[in-house]
Amino acid sequence: MSVRMGIVNLVSVLVLMIEVMASYDPGFQANGLSMNYYLMSCPFADNIVKDTVNEALQSDPSLAAALLRMHFHDCFIEGCDASILIDSTKDNTAEKDSPANLSLRGYEIIDDAKQQLETQCPGVVSCADIVALAARDAVFWGGGPYYDIPKGRKDGRRSKIEDTINLPAPTFNSSELIRTFGQRGFSVQDVVALSGAHTLGVARCSSFKNRLRNFNSTHDVDPELDPNFAKTLSKTCSAGDTAEQPFDATRNTFDNAYYNALLQKAGVLTSDQTLYTTPKTRSIVNGYAMNQAMFFLDFQQAMLKMSLLDVKEGSKGEVRDNCRKIN
Ligand code: HEM
Ligand SMILES: *[C@@H]1O[C@H](CO)[C@@H](O)[C@H](O)[C@H]1NC(C)=O
Ligand SMILES: *[C@@H]1O[C@H](CO)[C@@H](O)[C@H](O)[C@H]1NC(C)=O
Ligand SMILES: *[C@@H]1O[C@H](CO)[C@@H](O)[C@H](O)[C@H]1NC(C)=O
């Protein structure tokens, strides 16, 4: 009896020890990833990516948005496995060539970082980790929060145009957003915080023109749109489908201006403004508009979650030699 109790106690003490170690060691991750994954194999990996990103953003600040969006598109399709970087071949049309790729840019920055990493530590650092690190560095470069992310993602071997159907559409309302993100384990708060990524960058007319003409039988334009801002959007669209509209007044600065725009009914996409229209998400929008620190905190937590979506470990993936081609 007492021996058995002893074993039970020993087991629970061991379990407790492992849990304590896990919570104390910031490098511990159940999925094979860790904060110091490249500590021995490529100690300067983080720095090489950061320097490459900073240099590129110095000459074109608008690429910060591109790098952040690239990470989102990568993770939402097939997990964070660099499937977004694969070029199409004659036998395969890749994710990249989906119409949903609208304005995805910044691939050269990833190639550049990869090339330098291959010189320093060949075959070690995955393209998926480079994309995740680059997004993190882009956020910080724009004035956003800095956060550590675990590394060790492997690169995937699949990239198909048809998978991009799983991306949320700019015409989604809040229930559709909450459902699509919910399927991947995100909370309502995560949805609102992640949408704040639209504090960087622009949308093309084709992504918001649904709100501008013959909205429905009773409204010419989306009634959730401020009439003056509707004019701004129409003016942008007069230059054609690919004309760019910044999401907020500070397109290269990572701040909470996006949420303040929503309060003014000056959100660009249906999927932006809907966060303010719906009571369930409006309170969160109000909170972030008032308190940027709270937005930053929730954003970095949600980004960490996003950066771990369906990561491939071990033989389920590989470390690509060239980020654009499966080995
Ligand atoms: C909530 C659902 C989302 C929808 C429906 C959505 C949709 C879009 C659309 C349609 C554009 C403009 C594309 C164009 O017209 O060129 C865009 C841009 C952008 N998205 Fe999202 N997005 C969502 C969530 C996210 C998330 C989670 C992130 C990152 C964490 C993100 C980051 C960005 C960035 C940074 C841009 C600007 C890109 C640039 O200027 O190059 N988006 N998004
Ligand atoms: C995006 O997809 C279109 C086809 O829909 C393709 O022509 C274009 O090259 C792609 N853009 C990028 C940056 O890959
Ligand atoms: C969102 O759109 C779906 C599908 O179009 C619709 O069934 C639902 O009622 C809408 N929800 C809200 C809150 O408008
Ligand atoms: C038009 O859109 C507004 C706002 O979304 C909505 O309240 C109204 O019921 C719609 N009217 C029709 C006829 O669909």
Side-chain angles (χ1 to χ4, degrees), residues 215-219 222-224:
F215 186 70
N216 67 22
S217 52
T218 47
H219 294 275
D222 183 348
E224 298 307 330

Side-chain angles (χ1 to χ4, degrees), residues 129-294:
D129 276 348
I130 301 175
V131 171
L133 288 168
R136 185 272 307 269
D137 295 335
V139 166
F140 185 64
W141 191 89
Y146 187 83
Y147 47 92
D148 206 0
I149 52 168
K151 282 135 298 207
R153 294 164 193 76
K154 290 284 161 58
D155 298 326
R157 299 191 182 92
R158 174 191 170 98
S159 177
K160 295 197 173 292
I161 187 170
E162 56 266 30
D163 296 339
T164 56
I165 192 146
N166 295 321
L167 284 167
T171 51
F172 274 11
N173 64 29
S174 59
S175 8
E176 294 168 299
L177 290 176
I178 291 167
R179 182 177 46 78
T180 355
F181 280 80
Q183 285 165 349
R184 291 175 170 79
F186 292 101
S187 67
V188 174
Q189 181 185 294
D190 291 333
V191 175
V192 181
L194 284 174
S195 297
H198 290 171
T199 179
L200 292 179
V202 298
R204 313 274 168 129
C205 171
S206 52
S207 302
F208 55 80
K209 68 178 179 182
N210 64 303
R211 310 178 67 196
L212 295 178
R213 268 179 295 273
N214 310 322
F215 186 70
N216 67 22
S217 52
T218 47
H219 294 275
D220 283 344
V221 301
D222 183 348
E224 298 307 330
L225 197 49
D226 169 76
N228 278 320
F229 193 63
K231 281 182 202 145
T232 303
L233 293 184
S234 296
K235 194 161 162 255
T236 299
C237 281
S238 66
D241 266 5
T242 57
E244 294 176 354
Q245 175 66 44
F247 281 111
D248 67 20
T250 52
R251 58 174 282 186
N252 293 329
T253 306
F254 195 99
D255 56 18
N256 65 346
Y258 165 83
Y259 297 104
N260 283 297
L262 301 186
L263 263 57
Q264 312 294 320
K265 290 191 165 194
V268 174
L269 308 175
T270 302
S271 63
D272 294 319
Q273 197 58 53
T274 187
L275 300 174
Y276 191 66
T277 313
T278 318
K280 197 172 174 182
T281 48
R282 183 188 303 148
S283 54
I284 307 173
V285 170
N286 277 323
Y288 294 161
M290 248 174 348
N291 185 344
Q292 180 168 278
M294 192 163 85

